[in-house]
Amino acid sequence: GENVEQHPSTLSVQEGDSAVIKCTYSDSASNYFPWYKQELGKRPQLIIDIRSNVGEKKDQRIAVTLNKTAKHFSLHITETQPEDSAVYFCAASKEAAGNKLTFGGGTRVLVKP
Amino acid sequence: GAVVSQHPSWVICKSGTSVKIECRSLDFQATTMFWYRQFPKQSLMLMATSNEGSKATYEQGVEKDKFLINHASLTLSTLTVTSAHPEDSSFYICSARSTSTGELFFGEGSRLTVL
């Protein structure tokens, strides 16, 4: 089955700096890669996603890049703010298989004011 | 946006009892729902895929007789933790896949504590 590795497990950045989280996946048939933000005790919130037919997607301060050949994708947060502090999860799935998500291990991001 | 409601949001029970957690899609139909388990400071681990009108598909290592899943309607799936033990204490989260759009929406989670 699919295996998703996520790095780093923790990330501390100064407010205003950028944060980058990287994920690799094992199943070349995976074609949908969402990123979730989860605050303590809350549900995961979808913040951005990318499908395998594009290499990059951007939404304001958040961007995701995908390298299908290398089977890795990354989340980039620019101009970080304290409210960006949370745990971020990457995931991978095959849309034709009903979007059964396999999650990465998570990255705890702390933005210092 | 679409809403998925889980109930209860938290529950404390005695060892040996059974606990039922509900996952409802409030404004859309969901032929497929997923149940995840999350330990503190860890990732979400898929337990099973719940399909309306048929048996759930369990992930490897998940005991189907321990974690009973019923998906009786297009808007409701239930997870019953049978004969709960302290090691079953965890955060259980469901997600529902919209039948019409294919989008996934997560419930707010249910925190189970078994004494």
Side-chain angles (χ1 to χ4, degrees):
Chain A
E2 174 69 279
N3 183 50
V4 178
E5 299 283 341
Q6 184 172 344
H7 298 281
S9 56
T10 60
L11 180 59
S12 182
V13 297
Q14 208 63 39
E15 183 178 359
D17 289 349
S18 295
V20 180
I21 304 170
K22 299 182 178 181
C23 288
T24 60
Y25 61 99
S26 62
D27 189 344
S28 57
S30 290
N31 56 6
Y32 175 66
F33 308 93
W35 285 88
Y36 290 89
K37 176 182 180 182
Q38 187 182 32
E39 297 178 1
L40 188 63
K42 301 285 182 65
R43 78 183 84 198
Q45 297 278 6
L46 179 69
I47 55 172
I48 196 167
D49 57 15
I50 191 167
R51 288 177 169 81
S52 57
N53 57 344
V54 297
E56 185 173 357
K57 184 176 178 181
K58 190 173 181 180
D59 182 5
Q60 298 183 352
R61 297 187 296 109
I62 295 173
V64 58
T65 58
L66 170 65
N67 183 325
K68 278 204 69 179
T69 304
K71 289 189 283 189
H72 67 70
F73 55 113
S74 300
L75 177 72
H76 304 252
I77 306 173
T78 58
E79 301 172 31
T80 54
Q81 301 166 4
E83 52 265 37
D84 294 329
S85 297
V87 180
Y88 292 80
F89 292 99
C90 63
S93 74
K94 293 182 278 248
E95 289 192 287
N99 272 355
K100 186 173 77 169
L101 295 173
T102 300
F103 283 87
T107 298
R108 187 171 301 275
V109 175
L110 175 63
V111 180
K112 298 177 184 177
Chain B
V3 176
V4 175
S5 175
Q6 266 186 255
H7 179 80
S9 55
W10 60 270
V11 56
I12 301 172
C13 70
K14 292 182 179 179
S15 187
T17 60
S18 294
V19 175
K20 180 186 285 188
I21 301 170
E22 294 185 347
C23 178
R24 292 182 184 273
S25 55
L26 297 185
D27 50 1
F28 65 97
Q29 293 185 335
T31 307
T32 303
M33 294 186 179
F34 302 96
W35 285 97
Y36 293 86
R37 182 174 183 176
Q38 187 176 32
F39 290 108
K41 298 185 178 182
Q42 293 191 26
S43 188
L44 288 82
M45 300 300 295
L46 180 66
M47 298 174 66
T49 303
S50 171
N51 300 297
E52 188 269 335
S54 64
K55 291 183 179 180
T57 304
Y58 289 82
E59 294 300 300
Q60 192 172 10
V62 178
E63 299 175 61
K64 61 180 180 180
D65 295 329
K66 172 75 172 175
F67 300 99
L68 300 178
I69 291 172
N70 186 287
H71 196 150
S73 77
L74 287 171
T75 59
L76 174 64
S77 175
T78 61
L79 168 69
T80 301
V81 183
T82 62
S83 186
H85 290 284
E87 57 265 31
D88 299 323
S89 299
S90 189
F91 194 51
Y92 293 89
I93 306 177
C94 70
S95 69
R97 182 173 184 267
S98 170
T99 303
S100 58
T101 68
E103 292 177 87
L104 281 173
F105 301 95
F106 278 86
E108 61 265 61
S110 299
R111 184 164 301 283
L112 170 65
T113 301
V114 184
L115 301 177

